[in-house]
Amino acid sequence: MGTWGLEGRVARKRAWKLAALSLLIAGATQAATPDRDAIKAQVAQRHDASVKALQEWIALPSIAAESRNSQQGAEYMAKLAREAGFQHVEIVDTGGKPGVYATLDAGAPTTVGLYFMYDVKQFDPAEWSSPPLEGRIVDKPGVGKVMVGRGATNQKGPEMAFLTALHAIRDAKQAMPVNLVLVAEGEEEIGSPNIGKLVLRPDIQAALKKSIGVFMPMGLQDGDGTVTVNLGAKGVIELELVADGNAWGRGPSKDVHSSLKAMVDSPAWRLVKALDTLVSDDGNTVAIDGYPKAAPLTADERAMIAKSTAARDEALAKRNLGVPHWIDDLSWQQANERLVSQPTINIEGLVGGYTGVGGKTVLPHRAVAKIDMRLVPPMTRDGAVAALKAHLAKRGYGDIAVNVSGGYDPTSTDADSRLIQSQLAVLRRDGFDPLLWPRIAGSYPGFVFTQPPLSLPAAHFGLGRGGGAHAPDEFFVIESAHPKVQGFDGAVMSYVDYLFELGRPTGVATGR
Amino acid sequence: MGTWGLEGRVARKRAWKLAALSLLIAGATQAATPDRDAIKAQVAQRHDASVKALQEWIALPSIAAESRNSQQGAEYMAKLAREAGFQHVEIVDTGGKPGVYATLDAGAPTTVGLYFMYDVKQFDPAEWSSPPLEGRIVDKPGVGKVMVGRGATNQKGPEMAFLTALHAIRDAKQAMPVNLVLVAEGEEEIGSPNIGKLVLRPDIQAALKKSIGVFMPMGLQDGDGTVTVNLGAKGVIELELVADGNAWGRGPSKDVHSSLKAMVDSPAWRLVKALDTLVSDDGNTVAIDGYPKAAPLTADERAMIAKSTAARDEALAKRNLGVPHWIDDLSWQQANERLVSQPTINIEGLVGGYTGVGGKTVLPHRAVAKIDMRLVPPMTRDGAVAALKAHLAKRGYGDIAVNVSGGYDPTSTDADSRLIQSQLAVLRRDGFDPLLWPRIAGSYPGFVFTQPPLSLPAAHFGLGRGGGAHAPDEFFVIESAHPKVQGFDGAVMSYVDYLFELGRPTGVATGR
């Protein structure tokens, strides 16, 4: 999961209430980072070593879908945490791919949670212009020097920048301003099927419960430098719908010659007929009987979207995506409202019978649709799966298997939480005018933090910029050609500043 | 194409008319093959060399769909023809994969056409129990010693048996009883897109026009020895239906993140919606608007099917195919009538977006359905394709590409033709009671011979048995464990006998 499709989109801040809070925070700002210059010097000194460390991490791809390097990836993640100063570091058996749990006790009054992923998306080297595991530094016209590699921006680049911040604070002999509790998983890209077994293990849950919230490092900047602070994410379900002659009790139990179609039923046609019932004729609206309803956008959310829509270039977005028209020829504003507010059911992949070059005259015994469904509040993963199964059964397709491989509920965090307000304070101090966005259309397992029993704020944070997540030529900017976009060292400093802001004494010390 | 799914299914002969003809022929039978014993001795002497030659041929797979070994395959086919005694042998440029044209002038009054294919179906060695290109001799319980290899039965085994017959006749110093005109193509398995450029080249067409008909070697025997003489074949069209964002002008022009489904149209859903309109709700009846109609079965055809149905074991057929129920729970007789008489539209394969292990959150810009459509008289390939295109356009799916890769019309041959009557005569002389079958459900490009300008009879012939065409562990019986099923040498002798029968002086010398 982990990408949002469109780069940061947003709305300025939320009216007078946020403005008032910002003023309060801004007053105490200068004291936030004790010897910022010393830390910055350390960041510069470490630059080459950090870039090399990121390349080495990229060279070890952990891919849960392929059961590739998961144990090694967890061990590497643990090593990186130990080197960055975490005193307790532990690999956690989740029943799936291992997780990592680590704590850094700075003796500080404030504790902050961290959510990392050490896994990356699958890749096909043939589609890349430079080797996906090399982390080669490439000149990207108009962008600067970027590192190209699988995981460069999703999520190793930002995570390495964060770890570099810890090194730099220590090397500059500054006191760590907050205690840290890190959970890192190796199954983010398959829908975090075991995230609860990591985060909610009683001792880990107890450690996280002491935190003011949890964040994940991420380069939040657009190409023009705009920074977007997101207040939540859609939920997601990944599943396969499988029509199979064996389960159906009709059609063949193995692939047979296609001429037999005249006397033998076809599981592939059955899959097509079942899929057809799931969406409207244009393929755009979920048509599952009794499907949970989405909450309408609030006035605040609509306002955020309106401001972001005005600030962003529709033609550029369409060009980047290769999309000439939004659904129903909606306006830019309407399309963005739909993006934030509507659940989706998407065909990720179709696989059945002969899939090679040309044709092969078989009647397949099995056909599969790979599906992802995005959820908005108050929908839940379990509610959506139950509705899908009930729908198929009611329409006479009860034999079609619904194999859920991962997924989770949507997640939301209050803009007034200290986790978010500290982000806004740091960004404004750095000269940014951050935008707020109600909910990214992509997904991440923030629900495990924001829902009971933890009920914590959860968000992403970081300056810097990347692109191509889940796609070929994924990159993260190392040296930026744009004055407002931060390179790797600037990203590191954003984490330094955020940690000191979070650790700053405040009248709302336990406030969320 | 080239397989019929169910092994030979049939009906005895066609009432009094055929019976009367058979008696006429039977009277002259003993003189048909001059020194049969001498030829048979040569066949036995050549046995090991013939088996080795078949293995060597199997070791060179020509696969048009993969553009693999086509030139080499044509050259090898030409070499085999030269060695078997064809005096003129020529590789023919068809615009696609090369064909082979060869003639053997025996100075005989009768000329017979031969249709060969040198190409084979794709294969995946991982699915085979012995290497697909080795042609290993394997003990198959209850069947005997069989050669396992791609092309063993479809069609190199029967073709090699035929060529061995020519060697044996020559080596036994017997006069070749007929002149031969051979056309061999390398694109049978992709629907013979260029067969007309081979067969209808003016000089080749003129040579074939002198023949009494054209046949293709094939092991026609079932596991119990039953022999089926087929009077035709369904036509076929292989095509891909492609939904693509670029052609549609909606959706993305490249794969994008699946979260964008909320604002971006999906070519994969579009393909599903278009496919849905092509067949009835159960997937079994073609629902294309204005689709050409099938002719109803004649009383003769129904009778043939009834006799075959009674002679064949339904439970065994179901078990072999892994099919617990025929369409609509039809009876064995009804299912066979449907097999012979109904056009089909079958999904061979579905390919779209991410097709690997697990999921990948993409919204694909393109999705493909690989389709084959079977045709019965009086339908034509061109008529069916035109109806499909018109249907898609009328339903608003005119952007979905219909990429036809191959195909042809159905083909039919009169049971009274000399080509068929000679088969029946030879088989009865050998103690078989051959069954007649109106039309195989599989397809081969017989139309190029049976339609104008040639308007010749066309059929398959040969004793012997194979299985697994288009599937793993394809085999051809070399030494049969069943007394009524012929092994390789028996298959060779069936061609010897057929050639002498075709060359036998008859009162209907030019009769068809």
Side-chain angles (χ1 to χ4, degrees), chain A residues 29-68:
Chain A
T29 264
Q30 298 316 319
T33 309
D35 191 347
R36 196 175 187 275
D37 289 345
I39 298 171
K40 197 170 178 184
Q42 288 296 332
V43 171
Q45 197 174 316
R46 288 192 74 85
H47 178 85
D48 291 351
S50 300
V51 166
K52 188 156 172 291
L54 177 53
Q55 286 169 326
E56 286 171 359
W57 199 8
I58 285 171
L60 179 73
S62 300
I63 300 177
E66 299 173 353
S67 285
R68 180 175 177 184

Side-chain angles (χ1 to χ4, degrees), chain A residues 60-394:
Chain A
L60 179 73
S62 300
I63 300 177
E66 299 173 353
S67 285
R68 180 175 177 184
N69 292 334
S70 294
Q71 184 63 34
Q72 297 93 319
E75 286 164 12
Y76 204 87
M77 179 77 254
K79 175 177 98 82
L80 292 174
R82 269 191 303 272
E83 290 170 356
F86 286 84
Q87 300 113 343
H88 174 86
V89 181
E90 180 189 348
I91 291 177
V92 178
D93 180 7
T94 66
K97 310 307 178 195
V100 177
Y101 164 53
T103 54
L104 188 159
D105 181 356
T110 302
T111 297
V112 175
L114 293 164
Y115 167 63
F116 274 37
M117 56 190 279
Y118 68 79
D119 64 322
V120 297
K121 203 73 187 170
Q122 301 98 306
F123 58 89
D124 176 358
E127 298 173 352
W128 290 59
S129 67
S130 69
L133 300 184
E134 192 181 299
R136 186 180 292 178
I137 305 289
V138 167
D139 244 318
K140 196 172 168 77
V143 177
K145 288 193 192 309
V146 305
M147 185 181 296
V148 176
R150 175 50 89 224
T153 189
N154 177 204
Q155 206 72 278
K156 290 175 174 175
E159 288 171 351
M160 182 57 78
F162 177 85
L163 295 172
T164 302
L166 302 189
H167 281 277
I169 292 168
R170 184 177 55 188
D171 293 350
K173 308 197 187 326
Q174 302 295 305
M176 193 64 65
V178 292
N179 312 312
L180 296 172
V181 179
L182 167 69
V183 283
E185 71 158 321
E187 299 179 317
E188 204 274 350
E189 296 292 8
I190 60 167
S192 306
N194 299 292
I195 186 74
K197 301 219 183 78
L198 172 66
V199 171
L200 302 181
R201 199 179 77 176
D203 57 329
I204 300 175
Q205 180 184 323
L208 283 167
K209 191 77 185 171
K210 292 180 191 150
S211 74
I212 61 160
V214 180
F215 81 95
M216 176 178 229
M218 179 165 168
L220 294 178
Q221 293 194 273
D222 270 0
D224 64 359
T226 306
V227 183
T228 300
V229 174
N230 295 300
L231 299 178
K234 284 185 177 176
V236 71
I237 305 164
E238 271 197 284
L239 59 89
E240 289 190 346
L241 294 179
V242 183
D244 187 298
N246 294 292
W248 187 14
R250 301 196 72 86
S253 62
K254 59 185 178 182
D255 293 1
V256 296
H257 194 267
S258 69
S259 62
L260 291 159
K261 181 69 207 78
M263 67 196 296
V264 175
D265 295 286
S266 163
W269 276 123
R270 186 161 179 78
L271 179 69
V272 166
K273 290 287 173 177
L275 286 172
D276 178 68
T277 68
L278 299 180
V279 294
S280 55
D281 282 349
D282 62 6
N284 292 331
T285 302
V286 183
I288 296 170
D289 302 328
Y291 204 61
K293 293 277 172 278
L297 289 172
T298 65
D300 272 0
E301 289 170 334
R302 240 179 250 282
M304 287 183 201
I305 296 167
K307 289 201 177 172
S308 176
T309 299
R312 295 191 64 255
D313 184 340
E314 180 182 15
L316 180 66
K318 283 183 167 173
R319 196 160 60 244
N320 284 344
L321 296 169
V323 173
H325 304 278
W326 307 122
I327 280 174
D328 293 333
D329 295 324
L330 294 177
S331 72
W332 183 218
Q333 160 89 6
Q334 291 169 319
N336 276 300
E337 288 183 357
R338 203 179 192 292
L339 183 70
V340 170
S341 65
Q342 293 306 302
T344 60
I345 176 164
N346 173 62
I347 297 177
E348 299 178 347
L350 290 171
V351 199
Y354 177 69
T355 58
V357 178
K360 189 172 175 186
T361 46
V362 293
L363 192 175
H365 77 287
R366 188 172 188 272
V368 178
K370 293 171 185 279
I371 297 284
D372 71 82
M373 300 165 73
R374 304 276 170 180
L375 313 175
V376 294
M379 299 170 68
T380 61
R381 166 193 153 132
D382 292 346
V385 170
L388 172 61
K389 287 183 176 173
H391 169 94
L392 290 172
K394 179 180 156 195

Side-chain angles (χ1 to χ4, degrees), chain B residues 71-134:
Chain B
Q71 184 63 34
Q72 297 92 320
E75 285 165 10
Y76 205 85
M77 179 76 255
K79 175 177 99 79
L80 292 174
R82 269 191 303 270
E83 290 171 355
F86 286 83
Q87 300 112 343
H88 173 86
V89 181
E90 180 189 348
I91 292 178
V92 178
D93 179 7
T94 66
K97 310 307 178 195
V100 177
Y101 165 54
T103 54
L104 188 160
D105 182 357
T110 303
T111 298
V112 175
L114 292 164
Y115 167 63
F116 274 38
M117 56 189 279
Y118 68 80
D119 63 322
V120 297
K121 204 71 186 172
Q122 300 98 307
F123 58 90
D124 176 0
E127 298 173 350
W128 289 58
S129 67
S130 70
L133 300 185
E134 193 181 296

